[in-house]
Amino acid sequence: TIMITNKIGENAGLIWSALQGGELTTKALKKATKLKELELNMALGWLARESKIAFTITDTETIITLL
């Protein structure tokens, strides 16, 4: 469990870095970080739990923004 927790934290760091340039859709974030969908979702959950990101959900996409 420690190993997977460390990896989720590292992936959260990749997402954080990618979002420094501004908000991104989940699709763009996945492309920018080169994370698999499960890795992306776990790291987004980590950041959301830490109140570091916000989600804007539309009919066609989800946009992630740093707080």
Side-chain angles (χ1 to χ4, degrees):
T1 9
I2 301 252
M3 199 162 62
I4 194 161
T5 302
N6 287 342
K7 188 63 178 167
I8 294 169
E10 288 173 22
N11 292 342
L14 291 174
I15 292 170
W16 180 268
S17 294
L19 290 171
Q20 290 294 314
E23 65 184 26
L24 290 171
T25 64
T26 50
K27 184 177 179 177
L29 197 49
K30 187 175 172 185
K31 185 176 180 179
T33 59
K34 297 183 173 58
L35 293 174
K36 295 177 182 162
E37 190 164 351
L38 180 60
E39 295 170 325
L40 180 73
N41 289 335
M42 287 191 288
L44 286 172
W46 176 296
L47 290 167
R49 179 73 174 100
E50 296 290 319
S51 300
K52 303 291 185 191
I53 57 172
F55 299 90
T56 302
I57 301 170
T58 70
D59 288 341
T60 57
E61 61 192 7
T62 301
I63 301 164
I64 314 297
T65 310
L66 288 179
L67 292 177

